[in-house]
Amino acid sequence: MSACVPARADSARTEHVHPPHSPPPRGPRRFRVAGADLSASVAVFLIALPLSLGIALATGAPLQAGLVAAAVGGIVAGRIGGCPLQVSGPAAGLTVVTADLIQHYGWRTTCAITILAGLAQLGLGCLRVARSALAVSPAIVHGMLAGIGVTIAVAQLHIVLGGTPQSSVPDNLVALPAQLANLRPADLAVSVLTLTLLLLWPRLPGRAGQLLGKLPAALIAVAGATAVAALTGLRLPKVDLPSWSSHALATLPEGPVLGLVAAVLTTTLVCSVQSLLGAVAVDKLVAARPGPAGRVKRSNLDRELLGQGAANIVSGSLGGLPIAGVAVRSSANVAAGAVSRNSTMLHGVLVVIAALLMVPALEFIPLASLASLVMAVGLKMVSLNHIRTVTRHREVRVYAVTTCGVVFFGVLEGVALGIAVAVGVALHRLTRTRITHEGGEGVHHVHVRGQLTFLAVPRLSRVLHQVPHGADAVVELDGSFMDHAAYETLQDWQKTHTAQGGSVDITGRRPGIRISEPAEVDGCRCRPWTPWRNHQCERTPAAPPPGTDRQAVTGGTDGTTPGPAAGPGGPAGTTEATGPGRRTGPAGATGRELARGISAFQRNTAPLVRRELARLAREGQQPSQLFLTCADSRVVTSMITSSGPGDLFVVRNVGNFVPLPGKEGGDDSVAAAIEYAVDVLKVRSVTVCGHSGCGAMQALLSAEPGGARTPLQRWLRHGLPSLERVPGDKSARRPRLAGREPADTAEQLCLANVVQQLEHLRAHESVSRALDADDLELHGMYFHVGEAQAYLLSEDSDGGVFERVLETDLTA
């Protein structure tokens, strides 16, 4: 009998025996919750509880509906949605829409509309159109939210004063004088107390303020107002939560079909756009968190749409409000350190427990306190930062029209008006072209800003003919499109003007674009940061204008740009320009690279920065930053800091050293630059920037004592204090990079050198004086050349950590 066959008849037991060389089967997977998720869920719950009741009050729905939506949003949307840290629930952005639905169709039909909107969201999620929803202009979205915020604030103001809001903003504004004449002091006092606590709680000073500030201001405001109202015995309307057995559920929708369709579309639009924009904002907040807390999976917007749809179906079926992503709760969730969707789900579970066990306590809350809380939320929806942004992008008309449309006509009508105005603005910008002429010292500049189409041909022709015959002209095309009619007009004028003894240089926004011959545009596709040796410029020879002495056989109309083989390593037989002062050897080739780079600047960049440089020439330099870095050619300060003319006062030397003041053999040039920047230019910040692969650091490590005292060796002695900061014992305190150890001793020395030079900076009298007056900040920076990654120094108790600079919009 085979050994693999059991001898006993009850061989069924052997089915549970695992193979001899495989691990035993795992038991059921345990549900584990991280401590950060647990604390974050409590923080979000404390914010969600009063806001959910307040939003339900503002819509005119049963107050239990807010709790149902908060619980379903946390559990269902939190489990299914594609943004793990976004918290969903009843949102202030849906208040106006829901209130309008309840007024027209009643509560039960509104629940049915919520279910249909959820089904529509499921369909959109299955079609994977979530990204397309983000194509809506931000000015329209922000205008819609601002209009909703104004509507909420005006309506809740009546409850704050002890009255009842009307159905629309105009009606509320008309009824406001009568309400002010008959206000109720008790309601007003509770509302003022709530708003005062809401405003002052986050601003408590001192260490006690830091500890108490961790409690949500909304919870403290409502709890404080409730406690004062109960202790003083004020008689005013309070929360009334009927028994759950009498809670109203959804029914079949009743009403005109077109009206119901419009209601479903409006609810779907607002819920979807708010949730998707919220998911994108949460991704930015998570990416800005340092360390492992920022390693949360990015949002899947299509899945988020599916999760929101499922949550709305469940909420509507259970008699809850419509659900969307909520910015206040989501940002609190991220700030509290949540690391997974468990925090969102647990917050929903806590809402369920509160709804079942805390009803007697909730019924002590004054309605005026909830109304003032929701009014404050509505006012915050009118964001000054958003207004500044749309003004900067010249979209304030779209924002204003959308806001006014939502306030006076409704959400769907306001959004439609905003879209119409946005389309009109886009068409106006497409067809609007600004053409100006400036006569300078011998050179006339014609600046064309905008798209150059046949509609602009009459103005273009009129301005071009203002250039005198025989004059040198530069035509600057600041746009991305030129049609055939405009092209022919420009070419005909160029030929005529050149034949009359003038010269024409046509430049464009894209690097290298210039029109040198009719029906032909030759240009350079190299980017501004492309090294000379990697340039792949293809330019065709152009005949020189009459009266010009061309010494180069290739180039543009100015005769200064060498041909494609001007760099070292060009093909044999390349024709080179010769003449007085021109050399043909390797050094001459390098000189031609420099000349070609300067020529490219004059052709492509100078027209774009000429006005800004002229302003700086008039007003003088006013840099905000002294940037002290190495002379290494791979460290391009303007590129890695995205700075322009006038931003940085740059000091460069071998090793980014800051010699100590007064030291024998010190270097006064660096000290003079520091004194000039701090005392004369009044810079607000000084940055010392080191980099990977620094030759000065490698020379320090390999230097032998007692060697020849060359100028370089004498200079490197300023780095000896940095060398002493690199201990042989790895357990000693030393600067380091966040997330990884230094690659080698040279990188460790580069980091230590930045920290050491910052100490040298503090020893300079001008720097020390500015630091004492709190007029100056010092920063350390490390740039890894091979990774194109910047690190900023953040001081700690362990020698200093260089934190990775993330790809995050810090203004968001």
Side-chain angles (χ1 to χ4, degrees):
M1 181 180 291
S2 171
C4 295
V5 179
R8 301 178 60 179
D10 55 345
S11 59
R13 297 181 182 177
T14 60
E15 294 178 2
H16 301 285
V17 179
H18 59 84
H21 298 293
S22 64
R26 294 182 179 179
R29 190 174 179 180
R30 294 183 178 180
F31 178 73
R32 295 185 177 180
V33 179
D37 285 335
L38 184 59
S39 60
S41 67
V42 175
V44 175
F45 160 73
L46 295 177
I47 296 174
L49 189 63
L51 282 178
S52 300
L53 293 172
I55 291 171
L57 173 68
T59 60
L63 295 184
Q64 294 102 318
L67 300 177
V68 171
V72 172
I75 297 173
V76 178
R79 180 66 186 87
I80 303 176
C83 183
L85 300 189
Q86 175 159 257
V87 182
S88 301
L94 292 165
T95 302
V96 176
V97 176
T98 309
D100 188 59
L101 294 179
I102 294 173
Q103 182 181 3
H104 284 86
Y105 301 106
W107 171 242
R108 290 178 178 270
T109 300
T110 299
C111 292
I113 292 172
T114 302
I115 296 174
L116 294 175
L119 291 172
Q121 286 180 301
L122 286 181
L124 293 175
C126 293
L127 293 175
R128 297 184 176 275
V129 297
R131 289 283 175 188
S132 302
L134 298 179
V136 181
S137 169
I140 296 175
V141 176
H142 297 322
M144 178 189 72
L145 295 177
I148 291 173
V150 171
T151 305
I152 292 172
V154 173
Q156 297 309 296
L157 181 59
H158 283 269
I159 302 179
V160 166
L161 298 175
T164 303
Q166 304 299 315
S167 58
S168 65
V169 174
D171 292 340
N172 280 320
L173 293 176
V174 170
L176 192 56
Q179 185 63 61
L180 289 172
N182 299 296
L183 60 85
R184 296 180 181 176
D187 294 79
L188 182 60
V190 169
S191 300
V192 170
L193 176 60
T194 303
L195 293 174
T196 302
L197 289 173
L198 194 65
L199 179 65
L200 298 181
W201 188 260
R203 295 172 173 81
L204 291 177
R207 187 175 183 83
Q210 293 179 353
L211 295 176
L212 295 176
K214 295 180 180 180
L215 294 174
L219 177 70
I220 296 299
V222 174
T226 302
V228 171
L231 293 175
T232 56
L234 294 177
R235 300 182 62 182
L236 67 172
K238 298 179 181 179
V239 169
D240 182 19
L241 292 174
S243 172
W244 285 103
S245 60
S246 61
H247 181 60
L249 301 179
T251 186
L252 291 176
E254 297 178 359
V257 176
L258 291 180
L260 291 173
V261 171
V264 172
L265 290 178
T266 303
T267 306
T268 304
L269 171 68
V270 178
C271 289
S272 302
V273 171
Q274 183 167 343
S275 299
L276 295 175
L277 292 176
V280 174
V282 168
D283 283 344
K284 293 181 180 180
L285 292 175
V286 172
R289 293 195 307 189
R295 300 171 189 168
V296 178
K297 186 182 297 184
R298 291 183 64 85
S299 298
N300 182 333
L301 296 184
D302 293 308
R303 180 177 171 180
E304 179 64 19
L305 209 52
L306 293 173
Q308 296 293 331
N312 273 313
I313 293 173
V314 176
S315 181
S317 302
L318 297 179
L321 291 171
I323 289 173
V326 187
V328 176
R329 297 172 220 179
S330 301
S331 58
N333 194 33
V334 175
V339 294
S340 73
R341 63 179 71 247
N342 291 335
S343 63
T344 303
M345 297 168 62
L346 283 174
H347 127 269
V349 173
L350 292 175
V351 172
V352 172
I353 296 173
L356 296 177
L357 303 180
M358 295 179 59
V359 171
L362 296 177
E363 290 184 338
F364 281 100
I365 300 176
L367 295 183
S369 179
L370 293 178
S372 58
L373 176 64
V374 176
M375 184 178 72
V377 173
L379 292 175
K380 286 183 179 180
M381 294 173 69
V382 187
S383 171
L384 294 179
N385 185 40
H386 291 160
I387 295 175
R388 283 192 292 266
T389 301
V390 296
T391 303
R392 186 168 61 248
H393 292 282
R394 296 181 298 166
E395 292 185 332
V396 69
R397 284 174 291 182
V398 179
Y399 180 92
V401 169
T402 306
T403 301
C404 294
V406 171
V407 168
F408 292 104
F409 302 109
V411 175
L412 192 60
E413 293 83 354
V415 170
L417 286 173
I419 293 175
V421 173
V423 171
V425 169
L427 291 176
H428 175 69
R429 290 176 178 174
L430 183 63
T431 58
R432 180 176 180 269
T433 306
R434 182 181 178 186
I435 306 173
T436 58
H437 168 247
E438 295 179 2
E441 298 178 358
V443 180
H444 290 257
H445 293 271
V446 176
H447 187 194
V448 181
R449 183 177 182 180
Q451 317 311 316
L452 202 52
T453 66
F454 66 94
L455 297 174
V457 165
R459 279 178 292 150
L460 176 65
S461 178
R462 183 169 58 252
V463 173
L464 289 176
H465 283 82
Q466 293 177 4
V467 179
H469 298 316
D472 295 333
V474 176
V475 180
E476 304 169 14
L477 303 179
D478 189 1
S480 59
F481 176 76
M482 180 195 304
D483 69 4
H484 185 70
Y487 180 82
E488 283 194 347
T489 301
L490 194 57
Q491 287 298 306
D492 292 343
W493 174 81
Q494 183 186 24
K495 289 192 298 184
T496 302
H497 190 77
T498 303
Q500 294 173 345
S503 66
V504 178
D505 190 8
I506 302 178
T507 66
R509 176 181 287 273
R510 191 180 69 184
I513 290 184
R514 56 190 296 117
I515 303 176
S516 57
E517 289 293 327
E520 182 174 330
V521 179
D522 82 303
C524 170
R525 294 180 176 85
C526 302
R527 298 181 182 273
W529 57 84
T530 304
W532 288 338
R533 62 191 180 90
N534 294 336
H535 272 236
Q536 303 293 330
C537 304
E538 299 291 343
R539 296 192 178 89
T540 55
T548 58
D549 182 15
R550 293 283 299 276
Q551 291 187 345
V553 299
T554 59
T557 56
D558 57 2
T560 60
T561 306
T574 300
T575 305
E576 297 180 350
T578 59
R582 304 289 292 271
R583 299 198 301 170
T584 60
T590 303
R592 288 196 307 277
E593 287 178 342
L594 179 62
R596 181 173 65 180
I598 297 173
S599 177
F601 165 80
Q602 293 298 142
R603 179 178 63 252
N604 305 322
T605 308
L608 302 179
V609 301
R610 185 172 286 117
R611 293 182 180 178
E612 177 64 15
L613 290 177
R615 183 190 67 81
L616 290 172
R618 292 192 305 270
E619 300 176 0
Q621 63 168 329
Q622 296 177 344
S624 60
Q625 172 96 223
L626 167 60
F627 198 85
L628 198 151
T629 188
C630 185
D632 194 294
S633 61
R634 298 166 296 179
V635 180
V636 185
T637 56
S638 59
M639 181 178 71
I640 64 178
T641 59
S642 298
S643 56
D647 291 336
L648 301 182
F649 187 75
V650 182
V651 176
R652 307 187 69 148
N653 59 53
V654 176
N656 49 273
F657 293 143
V658 181
L660 286 169
K663 187 175 181 179
E664 183 181 355
D667 184 270
D668 285 339
S669 66
V670 178
I674 294 172
E675 180 182 348
Y676 184 76
V678 176
D679 289 345
V680 179
L681 299 179
K682 303 295 183 183
V683 297
R684 302 286 298 176
S685 176
V686 181
T687 299
V688 176
C689 177
H691 66 95
S692 63
C694 181
M697 301 300 104
Q698 295 170 356
L700 273 174
L701 290 172
S702 60
E704 297 181 0
R709 307 305 293 177
T710 65
L712 177 60
Q713 290 175 331
R714 288 196 298 271
W715 171 254
L716 289 179
R717 75 185 186 278
H718 298 300
L720 294 177
S722 302
L723 193 60
E724 296 174 358
R725 295 184 73 102
V726 183
D729 183 9
K730 292 187 177 181
S731 63
R733 295 174 63 238
R734 55 181 182 174
R736 66 186 190 279
L737 295 173
R740 70 173 178 88
E741 291 294 324
D744 50 27
T745 307
E747 186 171 56
Q748 181 65 69
L749 181 56
C750 291
L751 301 176
N753 183 55
V754 172
V755 177
Q756 184 64 39
Q757 302 313 314
L758 287 173
E759 291 190 5
H760 289 183
L761 261 177
R762 294 184 180 93
H764 285 256
E765 182 181 356
S766 56
V767 174
S768 177
R769 185 169 57 250
L771 288 174
D772 292 340
D774 201 22
D775 292 334
L776 188 67
E777 296 178 350
L778 301 185
H779 300 286
M781 177 177 168
Y782 175 73
F783 183 70
H784 195 289
V785 177
E787 298 174 357
Q789 178 62 57
Y791 297 82
L792 288 177
L793 175 64
S794 62
E795 295 290 343
D796 69 352
S797 60
D798 194 21
V801 177
F802 286 81
E803 299 282 355
R804 177 189 291 263
V805 179
L806 302 174
E807 301 174 9
T808 306
D809 185 3
L810 299 179
T811 65

